[in-house]
């Protein structure tokens, strides 16, 4: 992990489209993140110019009281990225709060959106509910979709690989872009498009629709083999499947959803499903196979992560270099934005 990372040199024109995506550093990343967007990032980095933002400013919108947690998780998230194969020679990994153009763009965009529209952003609405904020929602949290529009447009990204919960953010960004370009009679900003993974979102261990850190139903990329085994053992299956000989439900059974996603032997999964549905196949047998499958998937990631985590300074260096590049790119857009608005006073 001590090898020197060559400086990022490609120009935006030299490769496909521009991709921007990111994560809030509030915890380690889990299989839901992998399925929802990490896998696409690894795939897309070869054909496109990709930026990945560690969104610490956005994390602070609901973690203002825990800046240390955010700080610590910047490295954890970076370890996860590198462990799954996000390659810093192909992808610029950067830290949001260190890019001054982003809050400045946010300020200008905020004037193009109504308070009423912000209140109706479905993602924000459901997060407010989940966190129990009611009317006491931090103002910074209310406006984070606009700061996300700044993230995306600052890099002139047209592709945004995200989980489906983020679609309203992309829609709101498109609205900002259209409004800006129309109002200032320009084409400086580009409309982004969400890249959704072919795989629907991964359910939680408890069978709820979404795997999520805050719901406590996640398998982390960094979970050790014992933790993984325990989690799988305690997984929700079909509550009506009490005895081995009972017919079980495959539909909505997360054990089978995970097998569909991660098992390469599709034939075997099909025959397990058949036997389970007919009756005569115990949960523990299916879970044992799932453990094998997930262990095979996670163990190389876990091993790489351990190696990478041994040299946190080298990882900070990667983030430093990526952030330096990102600052430049975002600043260029900011200059164009100010020019389009006619507030470029001294040029
Ligand atoms: N909102 C995203 C999340 O919670 C993180 C994020 C911040 C992001 N800025 C972004 C995602 C820009 C895509 C593009 O996971």
């Amino acid at each position: 992990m001590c090898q020197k990372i060559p400086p990022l040199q490609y120009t935006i024109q030299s490769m496909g489209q521009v991709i921007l995506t990111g994560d809030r550093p509030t915890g380690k990343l889990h299989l839901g993140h992998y399925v929802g967007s990490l896998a696409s990032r690894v795939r897309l980095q070869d054909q496109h110019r990709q930026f990945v933002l560690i969104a610490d400013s956005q994390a602070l919108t609901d973690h203002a009281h825990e800046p240390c947690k955010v700080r610590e998780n910047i490295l954890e998230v970076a370890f996860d990225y590198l462990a799954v194969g996000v390659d810093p020679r192909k992808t610029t990994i950067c830290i949001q709060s260190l890019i001054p153009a982003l809050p400045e763009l946010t300020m200008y965009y905020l004037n193009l959106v109504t308070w009423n529209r912000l209140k109706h952003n479905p993602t924000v609405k459901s997060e407010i509910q989940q966190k129990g904020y009611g009317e006491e929602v931090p103002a910074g949290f209310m406006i984070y979709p606009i700061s996300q529009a700044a993230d995306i447009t600052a890099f002139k990204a047209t592709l945004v690989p995200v989980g489906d919960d983020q679609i309203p953010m992309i829609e709101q960004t498109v609205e900002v872009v259209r409004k800006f370009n129309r109002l200032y009679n320009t084409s400086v900003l580009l409309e982004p498009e969400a890249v959704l993974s072919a795989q629907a979102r991964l359910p939680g261990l408890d069978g709820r629709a979404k795997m999520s850190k805050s719901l406590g139903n996640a398998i982390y990329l960094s979970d050790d083999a014992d933790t993984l085994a325990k989690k799988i053992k305690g997984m929700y299956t079909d509550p009506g499947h009490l005895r081995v000989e009972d017919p079980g439900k495959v539909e909505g059974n997360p054990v089978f959803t995970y097998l569909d996603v991660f098992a390469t032997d599709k034939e075997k999964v099909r025959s397990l499903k058949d036997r389970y549905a007919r009756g005569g196949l115990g949960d523990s047998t299916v879970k044992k196979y799932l453990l094998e499958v997930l262990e095979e998937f996670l163990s190389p990631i876990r091993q790489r992560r351990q190696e990478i985590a041994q040299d946190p300074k080298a990882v900070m260096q990667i983030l430093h270099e990526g952030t330096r590049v990102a600052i430049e790119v975002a600043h260029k857009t900011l200059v164009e934005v100010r020019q389009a608005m006619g507030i470029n006073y001294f040029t």
Side-chain angles (χ1 to χ4, degrees), residues 170-189:
I170 315 295
E171 285 170 355
Q172 186 134 37
T173 302
V174 168
E175 284 172 34
V176 167
V177 168
R178 290 192 182 154
K179 182 107 195 241
F180 184 96
N181 286 347
R182 186 158 28 89
L183 195 60
Y184 303 115
N185 195 20
T186 175
S187 50
V188 158
L189 301 185

Side-chain angles (χ1 to χ4, degrees), residues 40-52:
S40 342
R41 296 177 197 178
V42 174
R43 186 169 45 84
L44 293 168
Q45 66 185 346
D46 290 320
Q47 304 123 38
H48 301 284
R49 173 75 172 97
Q50 179 164 261
F51 295 86
V52 175

Side-chain angles (χ1 to χ4, degrees), residues 30 37 154 194 247 268 296:
H30 52 63
S37 71
K268 171 150 184 176
E296 194 179 320

Side-chain angles (χ1 to χ4, degrees), residues 118-240:
L118 282 175
K119 280 203 302 207
H120 290 101
N121 181 305
T123 308
V124 174
K125 246 166 92 173
S126 74
E127 282 173 319
I128 288 175
Q129 213 172 32
Q130 201 192 330
K131 293 172 203 288
Y133 279 143
E135 289 294 308
E136 298 302 311
V137 52
F141 189 81
M142 273 313 283
I143 66 159
Y144 92 72
I146 304 306
S147 109
Q148 195 156 325
D151 299 340
I152 295 168
T153 54
F155 296 94
K156 305 240 169 136
T158 49
L159 299 177
V160 187
V162 280
D164 60 358
D165 60 312
Q166 294 289 305
I167 291 173
M169 301 295 155
I170 315 295
E171 285 170 355
Q172 186 134 37
T173 302
V174 168
E175 284 172 34
V176 167
V177 168
R178 290 192 182 154
K179 182 107 195 241
F180 184 96
N181 286 347
R182 186 158 28 89
L183 195 60
Y184 303 115
N185 195 20
T186 175
S187 50
V188 158
L189 301 185
L190 302 183
E191 286 183 26
E193 197 184 309
V195 183
L196 297 173
S197 76
Q199 179 55 49
R201 71 169 67 163
L202 205 63
L205 288 164
D206 54 3
R208 284 203 265 187
K210 191 181 168 190
M211 181 177 281
S212 131
K213 175 182 36 151
S214 44
L215 296 175
N217 62 6
I219 294 174
Y220 291 91
L221 296 170
S222 47
D223 277 347
D224 60 34
D226 283 348
T227 310
L228 179 68
K230 273 198 207 103
K231 285 183 176 177
I232 291 178
K233 212 165 167 202
M235 247 179 110
Y236 173 94
T237 59
D238 169 13

